[in-house]
Amino acid sequence: MAAGLPPGGASPGVDEDQGGLRAALSGLTTRGRSFLAAGIAAGICAYALGQSDLLRVGMLLAVLPLVCVGVLHRTRYRVAGSRRLSPARVPAGSEARVHLRMDNVSRLPTGLLMLQDRVPYVLGPRPRFVLDRVEAGGRREVSYRVRSDLRGRYPLGPLQLRLSDPFGMCELTRSFSAYDTLTVIPRTEPLPPVRLAGEAAGYGDGRQRSLALAGEDDVIPRGYRHGDDLRRVHWRSTARYGELMVRREEQPQRARCTVLLDTRRIAFQGAGPDSAFEWAVSGAASALVHMLERGFSVRLLTDTGSTVPGDGSSGFAGATQDSADSAGLMMDTLAVVGHSDGAGLSPSYDVLRGGNEGLLIAFFGDLDEEQAAVAARMRQRSNAAVAFVTDSAAWVDGEPESAEATERLRMLREAGWTVLQARPGTKLADLWRQAGREHTSNTPGKTGGWS
């Protein structure tokens, strides 16, 4: 954020002398208004009593604040301000530091400046600083910390300067126009590497190998490059094309992972940082980061059918995008995700119907019989599927698992899901380990896995 600031200037469309002077008069402090009122009262009494000395005192009291207003109105400082966030994206419950810098770009030194930055109340109290006289061409740097337990995107600014005369008779506030945004992302929990047997090899390190040939006659050769292994020379193609040709290498492919987040309003009860919905959002963020770190191509899918990063690269991030950028994009989405008004999971199922979806990790709220059936059909579109299910009754009232919730979990398990129930105080890392143990015990004799 950078801008020039000429104190005493007027807003667009307002006459500078009239509008600026009117604003300066409105900036009279309590002291200035008291002096002005006392001066007027003394003048009236002097006129009524015929006391010339009292009239001079009244004139002095009334003129002093008016002179301060005029001087402050005519004062023309030119300063530039900048703001830097460190970092600009911070997990909920962690602190970020905001660095402010003021540069005096005029040829005259400034007087006493009071600096104030606007911040939302959830980030803490509004920071205020007093800057001493800034010499011509000089600069001042200050900083403050902000912290929020609630995820979201919070505007910082605009920056305000408050000018005051030496007698404290008048104060004028001038604002910069630019502001910055602090993104508070969900808390993430480091997840342990586990092995989950699946139907697709390669999940252990997030990579699969796609052979370039199915037989000797299906070879697609390419020209020889310096450093190629001579054992890969394809002599038949070399004779055909008249130049040295080699067999194409196996093409590495990243295994896919879809993280499904249920955001239906009817599926979650309660609110606040300790609610079931916030646990699900934090769990989805942890799973996304973990799978990207393991080399998977990952996408975020919600019950509404929207995907992040989008339609590019078949909707998955990681294969053609930098993992850090992909994680940041999905984290920014989770920072502002809220409840949807949808009643079912069908839109997300429609997205998954495309075919091989790789690994599916879902965070569900309350499921009725119909939505449990939809979730069960999702399993057919993935090589392996893990579901973390929250029960609103347990999160809000602390009640034990109901018979209906038990039946929904059974439906998912029979469909092939590895199902874990998340209760208040449960750590995702513990459920993650349990998921690996349960799936391995349920699928004996299979190799490969995800981590």
Side-chain angles (χ1 to χ4, degrees), residues 188-193 203-207 254-255 257 259 284-299 317-319 321-328 330-331 432 450-451:
T188 57
E189 184 177 346
L191 302 180
Y203 278 117
D205 60 358
R207 299 182 185 275
R254 290 176 181 260
C257 174
V259 177
S286 301
L288 287 170
V289 173
H290 178 76
M291 301 311 290
L292 280 172
E293 290 176 348
R294 303 301 297 180
F296 280 69
S297 293
V298 184
R299 71 174 172 181
Q321 294 176 278
D322 183 77
S323 295
D325 294 338
S326 303
M330 288 183 280
M331 283 298 184
W432 198 263
W450 61 277
S451 55

Side-chain angles (χ1 to χ4, degrees), residues 117-127 144 146-148 153-157 180-182:
D117 204 10
R118 289 186 178 180
V119 300
Y121 72 94
V122 296
L123 297 182
R126 181 170 296 182
Y144 63 94
V146 291
R147 179 181 181 274
S148 174
R153 293 173 61 87
Y154 301 101
L156 300 179
D180 293 280
T181 302
L182 175 68

Side-chain angles (χ1 to χ4, degrees), residues 299-335:
R299 71 174 172 181
L300 172 65
L301 174 65
T302 65
D303 59 289
T304 62
S306 62
T307 60
V308 180
D311 297 331
S313 302
S314 302
F316 289 83
T320 59
Q321 294 176 278
D322 183 77
S323 295
D325 294 338
S326 303
L329 179 60
M330 288 183 280
M331 283 298 184
D332 288 345
T333 302
L334 290 176

Side-chain angles (χ1 to χ4, degrees), residues 224 227-235 244-247:
Y224 175 82
D228 284 339
D229 191 347
L230 292 178
R231 289 175 296 181
R232 294 175 42 242
V233 173
H234 191 257
W235 298 108
L244 202 59
M245 306 292 289
V246 297
R247 293 184 177 89

Side-chain angles (χ1 to χ4, degrees), residues 43-73:
I44 294 176
C45 293
Y47 178 78
L49 300 176
Q51 298 290 329
S52 58
D53 292 338
L54 183 60
L55 179 61
R56 286 191 288 269
V57 172
M59 292 181 60
L60 177 61
L61 294 176
V63 169
L64 181 58
L66 297 179
V67 171
C68 292
V69 168
V71 171
L72 201 60
H73 170 62

Side-chain angles (χ1 to χ4, degrees), residues 94-156:
S94 301
E95 290 185 344
R97 183 168 289 275
V98 183
H99 302 269
L100 303 177
R101 172 176 164 177
M102 300 299 301
D103 294 272
N104 183 10
V105 296
S106 65
R107 298 180 179 179
L108 298 175
T110 69
L112 189 67
L113 301 178
M114 284 175 284
L115 185 64
Q116 176 178 276
D117 204 10
R118 289 186 178 180
V119 300
Y121 72 94
V122 296
L123 297 182
R126 181 170 296 182
R128 295 180 174 88
F129 305 92
V130 177
L131 302 181
D132 295 331
R133 176 180 178 274
V134 182
E135 65 279 4
R139 70 178 61 167
R140 297 289 185 273
E141 295 183 2
V142 294
S143 65
Y144 63 94
R145 293 177 295 180
V146 291
R147 179 181 181 274
S148 174
D149 292 327
L150 301 176
R151 57 186 176 83
R153 293 173 61 87
Y154 301 101
L156 300 179

